[in-house]
Amino acid sequence: MSHPHPELPLPPALPSKGLRIVALGGLGEVGRNMAVLEYEGRLLIIDCGVLFPEDHQPGVDLILPDFDYIKDRLDDIEAIVLTHGHEDHIGAVPYLLRLRRDIPLVGSRLTLAFVDAKLKEHRIRPVLRVVAEGQAERFGPFDCEFVAVNHSIPDALAVAVTTGAGTVLHTGDFKMDQLPLDGRVTDLRAFSRLGEKGVDLFMVDSTNAEVPGFVTNEVEIGPVLDSVFAQAEKRVIVASFSSHVHRVQQVLNAAHAHGRKVALVGRSMVRNMGIASELGYLDVPPGVLIELKQAASLPDDRIVYMSTGSQGEPMAALSRMANGDHKVQVGHGDTVILASSLIPGNENSVFRVINGLTRLGARVVHSGNAKVHVSGHASAGELLYCYNVLRPKNVMPVHGEVRHLVANGALAVRTGVPAERVVLAEDGVVVDLVDGKASVVGAVPCGYVFVDGSSVGEVTENQLKDRRTLSEEGFVSVFAVVDTATGKVLAGPQIQARAMAVDDAVFEEIQPDVVAALEEAIAGGATDTYQLQQIMRRVIGQWVNRRLRRRPMIVPVVVEA
């Protein structure tokens, strides 16, 4: 298996009749999935998603793929193919369309409906091309065939892209549930037909590659939810992804069976389920859905809240309930169901929410203590099955952390794919498919792009480091007035600390040393206020580190009289 070298050079020119693949997100992480395919000077993008921030990225709302690689080639983009409607595959579309609004968006009916609703909030009217499984379309030099796959959202598609360089099959996120709720199985007949024709590069979902066996069927969740509802004494609160139509369907069915009404909580949940119901993907039993404001008038044992926030997102409804600052006040006897699996990196946030809800007296049911969720991603047994059906010439694991990609590559090798034909790449690594062989040829710059409020890409890693310092070590401000003509400190230094659990009086000990350092520097010819500020920073920083065992952010200000 070929690993990308950390110091890869810029790639050479793409050979004639070669296909180039560059992932701008999704390789080495779970989220912000985006792959750029290039052939004969034209580009096809597969997915354009976001990554949600972790605890060490304070203040960040979303993380986008790095568009710099294609920023100067926007007119070369033929289309953006969206495999399904999850945020980690569609969430960054508005930010790319800000750069060029008329890029065609290609996807299934539900996927494009979710994207269109999102783009309305950004005041963008997109060019939409609805496709379905079994359909073939041509976008410039790219012949695309769409294949049904099942996932934890309806209407997911894999895409087979054929050019003069060969055929690439990209699975998107998928699993092989043989008893899906909507009856729409992953089309292994189409996979087999493509395998007979020849798949030159198989780009395959890696998220569950470390998990042995096969994913549990979705239908097995229904009886578990039914049992939890039967035992619930008071209110039931179910948290799930706002796009998980199948899970919401099962909650509606269980509520109907137990004589409960369901109120949707969270703007994205209300929006997405409205779309799914309108398009026929969600079958709402008569009279079950009610408005949130109506729920308060019902007895506790007759209400279900279907909420967002299953990943512990700070501003989502469930986190606010756990903190006691939501209109739905959780209390003793309530049952909370977290109907989703943990996304890597979210564990602490989710456990914090579980602890908060438990402290309020709720019974919390989650995937760790009950079968209330199954994954939407193929486990090792399903991946092995796919490799044997397709017999791909080359394999490029996608969608997952490094350990997932490596595990997926090892599965390919076990089925007979030569190790040198398994390409393990990370974000920004350039892979060329030339003369039937895929290989790493270089890398392009590819970093994180942070969305912070209304700013996009303006927050840097250094600024995040400053935020972490502020949150962990505290803040010290220092102010002094100097007269460079006389070489004297006329006022100060005034030293104040914040978030350091010390009284400002403790700094009286270091003030004489700061004055001495400033006057010595001025006597030595230092007159630049910036230089004097750095002297103050150094003297105080060393003292605070030695005396208080802290490394706070220090902001010095020197004013010349």
Side-chain angles (χ1 to χ4, degrees):
M1 294 187 284
S2 60
H3 277 274
H5 190 276
E7 300 298 331
L8 285 170
L10 289 171
L14 178 61
S16 176
K17 301 301 179 185
L19 176 72
R20 175 160 289 175
I21 301 105
V22 182
L24 301 184
L27 301 191
E29 62 208 355
V30 178
R32 68 171 198 150
N33 301 288
M34 181 175 180
V36 180
L37 279 59
E38 177 179 358
Y39 184 75
E40 292 185 342
R42 306 301 294 172
L43 305 178
L44 182 75
I45 294 173
I46 300 178
D47 290 327
C48 188
V50 296
L51 177 67
F52 293 101
E54 298 182 24
D55 289 344
H56 66 274
Q57 294 157 331
V60 173
D61 299 317
L62 298 170
I63 304 171
L64 307 180
D66 189 342
F67 299 143
D68 277 356
Y69 174 66
I70 57 173
K71 190 169 58 177
D72 297 329
R73 300 190 58 189
L74 296 172
D75 290 338
D76 295 337
I77 301 173
E78 295 288 349
I80 303 171
V81 173
L82 302 170
T83 58
H84 64 281
H86 279 151
E87 285 294 303
D88 59 335
H89 291 257
I90 67 170
V93 168
Y95 299 93
L96 182 53
L97 291 194
R98 285 182 187 179
L99 304 179
R100 181 189 149 199
R101 296 194 169 216
D102 64 343
I103 303 173
L105 303 179
V106 182
S108 66
R109 197 162 61 114
L110 183 65
T111 301
L112 293 188
F114 280 179
V115 174
D116 192 31
K118 178 181 294 292
L119 289 170
K120 280 186 172 69
E121 297 178 2
H122 290 259
R123 298 180 181 176
I124 295 174
R125 297 182 64 182
V127 177
L128 303 177
R129 294 277 298 273
V130 177
V131 294
E133 57 262 31
Q135 191 170 334
E137 297 286 343
R138 185 175 179 85
F139 305 101
F142 303 97
D143 285 310
C144 297
E145 179 183 344
F146 299 93
V147 179
V149 293
N150 58 35
H151 184 40
S152 53
I153 186 172
D155 243 9
L157 295 169
V159 57
V161 182
T162 300
T163 64
T167 296
V168 175
L169 176 58
H170 193 302
T171 64
D173 286 351
F174 86 113
K175 61 178 176 176
M176 289 163 53
D177 189 336
Q178 298 306 299
L179 298 169
L181 294 179
D182 58 2
R184 187 174 176 274
V185 297
T186 293
D187 192 350
L188 292 176
R189 292 180 301 173
F191 274 31
S192 179
R193 177 174 49 77
L194 289 166
E196 289 295 325
K197 286 171 56 180
V199 172
D200 297 280
L201 179 62
F202 188 32
M203 298 176 69
V204 55
D205 179 13
S206 306
T207 310
N208 262 5
E210 291 183 311
V211 180
F214 289 72
V215 172
T216 305
N217 296 322
E218 290 274 357
V219 294
E220 296 186 24
I221 302 301
V224 179
L225 287 175
D226 191 72
S227 171
V228 174
F229 275 52
Q231 297 171 30
E233 301 170 10
K234 294 186 178 179
R235 295 173 300 179
V236 175
I237 301 159
V238 186
S240 175
F241 291 118
S242 63
S243 54
H244 202 331
V245 179
H246 293 326
R247 194 67 70 246
V248 174
Q249 182 69 68
Q250 290 172 314
V251 170
L252 291 174
N253 294 345
H256 184 57
H258 291 274
R260 290 176 179 259
K261 304 292 185 184
V262 178
L264 302 179
V265 184
R267 187 168 54 90
S268 58
M269 179 70 74
V270 173
R271 181 191 67 198
N272 288 345
M273 291 310 116
I275 292 169
S277 175
E278 185 179 325
L279 296 180
Y281 293 94
L282 186 70
D283 180 18
V284 181
V288 167
L289 267 185
I290 61 171
E291 295 289 332
L292 181 58
K293 59 187 176 185
Q294 297 175 259
S297 62
L298 291 175
D300 285 352
D301 61 353
R302 288 291 174 263
I303 185 65
V304 177
Y305 294 102
M306 187 72 225
S307 167
T308 57
S310 61
Q311 295 302 309
E313 306 95 312
M315 296 308 294
L318 193 66
S319 292
R320 290 164 53 205
M321 291 179 200
N323 294 332
D325 63 353
H326 192 276
K327 63 180 69 175
V328 178
Q329 295 287 312
V330 176
H332 286 277
D334 289 340
T335 300
V336 180
I337 304 170
L338 271 66
S340 69
S341 55
L342 279 175
I343 294 177
N346 290 349
E347 293 89 350
N348 289 339
S349 299
V350 173
F351 293 144
R352 193 179 302 122
V353 169
I354 291 174
N355 286 325
L357 293 166
T358 304
R359 188 176 294 113
L360 293 171
R363 174 197 177 202
V364 183
V365 181
H366 53 87
S367 56
N369 58 25
K371 201 69 178 175
V372 290
H373 181 71
V374 297
S375 176
H377 303 270
S379 293
E382 293 151 272
L383 295 173
L384 289 170
Y385 200 100
C386 286
Y387 288 130
N388 286 330
V389 166
L390 287 164
R391 292 291 174 191
K393 297 185 179 72
N394 301 272
V395 170
M396 181 177 171
V398 296
H399 302 173
E401 297 178 354
V402 172
R403 60 194 173 97
H404 303 133
L405 305 178
V406 171
N408 199 354
L411 293 174
V413 172
R414 287 176 63 189
T415 64
V417 178
E420 65 274 11
R421 294 296 185 103
V422 176
V423 179
L424 296 179
E426 293 184 76
D427 295 342
V429 170
V430 179
V431 177
D432 283 357
L433 177 64
V434 179
D435 296 329
K437 186 173 191 311
S439 53
V440 172
V441 298
V444 297
C446 185
Y448 278 3
V449 176
F450 299 111
V451 177
D452 184 353
S454 61
S455 76
V456 178
E458 295 175 21
V459 175
T460 65
E461 286 288 354
N462 283 337
Q463 288 169 329
L464 287 182
K465 183 180 177 183
D466 287 346
R467 291 180 182 182
R468 287 193 292 272
T469 300
L470 284 168
S471 66
E472 296 165 6
E473 300 288 346
F475 171 88
V476 174
S477 65
V478 194
F479 176 79
V481 179
V482 301
D483 184 342
T484 53
T486 63
K488 297 297 180 183
V489 176
L490 301 181
Q494 295 176 0
I495 306 174
Q496 291 184 317
R498 292 290 182 272
M500 286 185 59
V502 295
D503 191 278
D504 288 346
V506 75
F507 293 104
E508 292 174 4
E509 180 182 323
I510 190 61
Q511 284 176 327
D513 291 349
V514 176
V515 171
L518 287 173
E519 292 183 347
E520 182 182 342
I522 295 169
T527 58
D528 180 59
T529 54
Y530 176 78
Q531 189 177 355
L532 297 175
Q533 286 169 181
Q534 297 313 304
I535 290 168
M536 280 207 307
R537 183 200 302 273
R538 184 173 64 251
V539 172
I540 292 174
Q542 290 172 349
W543 180 85
V544 170
N545 186 26
R546 184 179 66 253
R547 175 81 162 70
L548 305 178
R549 297 288 188 266
R550 302 293 291 270
R551 294 181 179 272
M553 176 178 288
I554 299 172
V555 178
V557 177
V558 173
V559 176
E560 190 173 356

